[in-house]
Amino acid sequence: MKFHTRFINKQLFSLILGILIFSLCLEARSQELETIEVDEFDTFLLAPSFKLPEQRKIYIDEPEVEFAESWMLEFQSKTTRHYRRVIMKKYGQTLVDFLALALKKHNWDVLDAPSSDALLLKPRLVELDIYSPEQSATRQTLILTKVGAVKVDLAFLSPDGQTIMQVMDHEDTPDVIGSVFSNRSNNLIYFGMLMENWSAMAAAYLETLMQEVEKQRAKQ
């Protein structure tokens, strides 16, 4: 599991700087994103040229959450529709909350509504696999290792609608501490650890981009 909350790939700094020096304030030449190898995410995509807003403003879109197909085949008949809706809403909101917290630490103004002069962040949780979902309050499974796995997809769009950065990662939850029962609260705690880490790292990479943009603007 890739838990990094303070340092990001040093090679990306120089690469991003070169991209920004060349493309700052220019119209995007291509919508195709370039793949960059980083330690923190399975996939890291960056636009070859882009424009960032003058101010640090961002709106986080409604999150998308989907259960894994294999999970649905095994547990759809064992869980209620209400349970699945509650879980999707709670997990999506938890991701949004961690993203907002991480962005605010880098002095981003997280807006309550979309704006024509703000970034747009589209968060997705897919392939959600809760190994032992809570099927009833009295029927809970003892967990000895992990509570599940999920894939995150975070796309950052410029005010003109261009995807400038996108990160994706599929991870198992951390190993449980001691022995815990699989219920809604305990499952969310460990999935939340993943979301918190992803949010911190995505915000750190966005901060790298913004810092370089601000440096170049100051030279003009």
Side-chain angles (χ1 to χ4, degrees), residues 156-176:
F156 294 82
L157 282 67
S158 65
D160 60 5
Q162 177 196 9
T163 300
I164 60 174
M165 184 178 84
Q166 185 172 5
V167 298
M168 289 171 276
D169 197 48
H170 187 279
E171 291 286 345
D172 295 329
T173 58
D175 290 337
V176 300

Side-chain angles (χ1 to χ4, degrees), residues 201-213:
M201 291 315 309
Y205 274 111
L206 181 63
E207 176 65 13
T208 302
L209 292 178
M210 198 63 186
Q211 284 182 358
E212 295 301 339
V213 166

